[in-house]
Amino acid sequence: MGESFSQLEERAKRATTIEELFCLWRKAHAAEVGEETFPCRRRRKGEKPEEPNDPDFTKDGRLGNAQKGGVLFICKESNLSKDMKVGEKDFWLKNEVVLNQPSTSDSADVKRAKTKYRNCLSKTLNKLLEKEHTMQENLEDCAYMNLNKRGGCSKCDNLVLAAYIAKYKDFIRKEIELLQCDTVVLYSASCYTETTMGEIEDVFRSAGVKTVAKIDCHPSRYSNQKIENMEITKNP
């Protein structure tokens, strides 16, 4: 019999590498009881993973070779509404947006999405550099993570997301600690309830984050004005 969710959670708190943490996180997905954190796409279609030990898991982390420092960009979840294959997902943002330019084989929608993401992250970083004069980083020196590693639909189910954050906050905290970024950018900040935002802010503080920038948009739907109006706070 496999380990329980609580046992995996305790082991995750002691993880020393991202790879170790993600291995435990995937097992925790499989060990989870109940469906309050399951994405709407599977619930709507009445589908369950064929292999209970191989649920969806979207990888993320450092965007280049740097082991620490830079900015950590945080989004809610990956849109897997058109991806019905169960299992681990590649780090799309790193492989297809940061390290590679849009390809001639990409569809118009894919090219547009890649361009929007890269432009948003670059403009966010430039604005932070302007406001935080001690920072000197490129995108490849930064990191990116989704809070919900199971992924979701084209439109985020905020109730599912809130339940996931509450259940997996120790896993989220440990990833932030391991990525070692002093500055965090939280996108779609207005989408979180007061309770969930409080949990997220507690995670940031306990993970040692010094600066938090909140932006009221998703990278795929950013505007220059939203980035310009980012809210920056300092943790003691």
Side-chain angles (χ1 to χ4, degrees):
M1 186 173 179
E3 295 174 280
S4 68
F5 182 92
S6 59
Q7 289 172 321
L8 292 163
E9 185 178 43
E10 287 303 312
R11 288 183 60 194
K13 294 176 184 178
R14 302 189 297 273
T16 57
T17 66
I18 289 290
E19 292 74 19
E20 179 187 4
L21 175 65
F22 283 178
C23 180
L24 295 168
W25 207 326
R26 283 191 62 175
K27 290 180 179 179
H29 276 183
E32 189 178 342
V33 177
E35 294 194 358
E36 69 273 9
T37 70
F38 285 11
C40 57
R41 63 193 180 86
R42 294 203 182 282
R43 191 165 12 182
R44 182 177 63 247
K45 292 180 176 293
E47 297 179 8
K48 297 291 178 65
E50 294 178 5
E51 298 292 337
N53 292 323
D54 190 29
D56 284 344
F57 189 88
T58 56
K59 295 193 293 186
D60 47 36
R62 304 295 310 190
L63 294 173
N65 295 323
Q67 297 301 306
K68 63 180 181 179
V71 174
L72 171 57
F73 303 101
I74 297 182
C75 285
K76 296 182 290 185
E77 62 189 21
S78 291
N79 174 11
L80 302 182
S81 58
K82 295 181 180 179
D83 181 0
M84 296 312 296
K85 181 181 177 181
V86 174
E88 189 171 88
K89 315 297 178 182
D90 289 333
F91 190 179
W92 178 83
L93 187 84
K94 176 180 179 179
N95 297 335
E96 299 296 330
V97 177
V98 175
L99 299 185
N100 293 305
Q101 297 298 316
S103 168
T104 55
S105 62
D106 291 335
S107 68
D109 287 345
V110 170
K111 285 182 182 178
R112 190 179 305 112
K114 290 182 179 182
T115 301
K116 290 281 282 186
Y117 266 91
R118 187 173 185 91
N119 287 348
C120 180
L121 298 187
S122 296
K123 289 182 178 183
T124 299
L125 187 56
N126 288 340
K127 180 52 62 176
L128 278 169
L129 290 171
E130 179 184 316
K131 291 175 178 290
E132 304 288 306
H133 300 293
T134 59
M135 297 168 52
Q136 293 182 350
E137 285 93 19
N138 299 310
L139 280 183
E140 291 78 4
D141 299 320
C142 298
Y144 177 93
M145 68 179 286
N146 285 300
L147 296 173
N148 179 4
K149 295 291 190 286
R150 191 175 272 128
C153 306
S154 56
K155 183 177 181 181
C156 179
D157 184 329
N158 288 321
L159 291 178
V160 170
L161 178 66
Y164 188 96
I165 292 170
K167 191 171 187 68
Y168 286 89
K169 60 186 176 183
D170 286 324
F171 291 82
I172 295 168
R173 178 186 295 109
K174 176 52 69 172
E175 181 175 7
I176 295 172
E177 290 176 356
L178 291 173
L179 291 174
Q180 300 185 68
C181 297
D182 290 336
T183 300
V184 162
V185 173
L186 182 67
Y187 288 106
S188 306
S190 65
C191 294
Y192 300 100
T193 65
E194 183 177 351
T195 298
T196 301
M197 181 58 78
E199 291 175 329
I200 293 171
E201 290 173 340
D202 285 344
V203 165
F204 289 164
R205 281 190 291 269
S206 59
V209 173
K210 293 181 171 56
T211 303
V212 179
K214 297 176 183 176
I215 299 179
D216 189 19
C217 66
H218 186 269
S220 64
R221 298 179 178 85
Y222 83 93
S223 70
N224 292 333
Q225 191 63 43
K226 295 285 189 181
I227 293 175
E228 182 69 30
N229 293 337
M230 69 172 67
E231 174 191 333
I232 297 178
T233 58
K234 303 283 188 179
N235 286 328

